[in-house]
Amino acid sequence: MSQTLPETFRLRAGNFNLLVLRLLDPRPEAVLPALGDQFRRAPGFLRFAPIVIGLGDLEAAPEEVDFRALIEGLHALEIVPIGTSGGSAAMRKEALAAGLPPLRAVGGKDAEELPAAAPPPAAEPTEPAPAGPDFQGSGRSAMVVTEPVRSGQRIYAQGADLIVTGTVNPGAEVIADGNIHVYGALRGRAVAGAQDDTEARIFALHFDPELIAIAGFYAVREQLGDAPIGRPTQVRLDGEELRFAPLG
């Protein structure tokens, strides 16, 4: 006799916003204890939540903001910083050097703001090496990564394109000042044109990212709409909108 098994799960589309932690004080030693107090009053609040660091209210010199200490402190509180918004160009550059790319939302209103109140080491691949002309004819050099990019890794191709011949796993992040080419599956985060290069593009043979961004304009997985998920895809920036097109 056949038996109908009980329903165990349902799948449905979701819509999620990123929180913005607006810094009103540049000192991690002032911000982190205040966040810790908020955690103690509301256990589990923001635990493992991805957030954007808002720099627009800071008047401090860029070198006065210790982004590395801030990142370490947020990870210790089990908060996951994924990028920055606002701030001066010099401040964004300092943040990028610490692993926080500049982000700007693609259309719509800004993300909800959070009132003010040790991460896995990033494996470093080989140094950028000159390559043949890239696919967009920019003449940039290219960093080539031949190993899968594991969860918790962050790879940054400064002043270059980035070519990954394997998979970018969930929880991993690849950043390039130029284009990003992933010849495997893109399942983590990809940030191209990190120094505001609006002509940069993202190419992936299997497109299923957690977050993508070009020149600071970003979209998370739930905002990809009609993008060809799971298929060969290229992403480009059209004004302030990300455009998705199948490859081939």
Side-chain angles (χ1 to χ4, degrees):
M1 296 177 61
S2 63
Q3 183 177 2
T4 302
L5 296 176
E7 186 178 37
T8 58
F9 67 89
R10 291 181 180 179
L11 294 176
R12 52 183 270 180
N15 185 19
F16 302 95
N17 292 324
L18 289 172
L19 291 171
V20 178
L21 174 63
R22 282 177 51 199
L23 294 183
L24 305 181
D25 190 311
R27 300 169 299 159
E29 62 270 23
V31 175
L32 295 171
L35 272 175
D37 289 342
Q38 193 160 344
F39 268 52
R40 283 187 286 274
R41 292 195 299 270
F45 175 63
L46 283 185
R47 189 180 185 203
F48 301 125
I51 65 168
V52 178
I53 307 300
L55 306 176
D57 295 300
L58 290 180
E59 298 180 355
E63 61 272 12
E64 295 179 19
V65 186
D66 190 341
F67 287 104
R68 297 186 187 279
L70 180 63
I71 293 170
E72 291 177 2
L74 290 172
H75 276 283
L77 291 173
E78 297 181 323
I79 299 176
V80 185
I82 63 170
T84 63
S85 66
S88 66
M91 192 172 289
R92 293 194 300 271
K93 184 176 181 180
E94 290 289 328
L96 180 60
L100 292 176
L103 302 177
R104 290 192 295 272
V106 178
K109 297 181 179 179
D110 290 341
E112 178 184 354
E113 295 176 351
L114 174 67
E124 294 295 336
T126 57
E127 291 296 318
D134 74 36
F135 299 101
Q136 297 303 305
S138 68
R140 275 186 296 256
S141 61
M143 173 186 286
V144 179
V145 179
T146 59
E147 299 293 331
V149 186
R150 300 184 302 275
S151 176
Q153 286 186 292
R154 177 184 289 116
I155 295 175
Y156 174 33
Q158 185 173 12
D161 291 347
L162 177 61
I163 299 173
V164 181
T165 62
T167 294
V168 179
N169 285 298
E173 186 172 47
V174 289
I175 307 170
D177 287 347
N179 305 304
I180 293 177
H181 305 263
V182 180
Y183 295 141
L186 172 56
R187 296 194 174 100
R189 300 184 293 273
V191 179
Q195 292 291 345
D196 292 331
D197 181 359
T198 58
E199 298 299 318
R201 298 192 182 195
I202 297 171
F203 303 85
L205 292 186
H206 182 99
F207 185 73
D208 191 13
E210 297 171 323
L211 176 147
I212 55 168
I214 296 177
F217 293 92
Y218 71 92
V220 296
R221 180 65 171 78
E222 293 77 16
Q223 297 172 325
L224 296 182
D226 296 330
I229 302 299
R231 296 165 55 193
T233 302
Q234 70 165 306
V235 187
R236 63 182 177 86
L237 190 62
D238 180 10
E240 295 187 358
E241 298 289 332
L242 292 174
R243 303 295 185 189
F244 309 93
L247 285 174

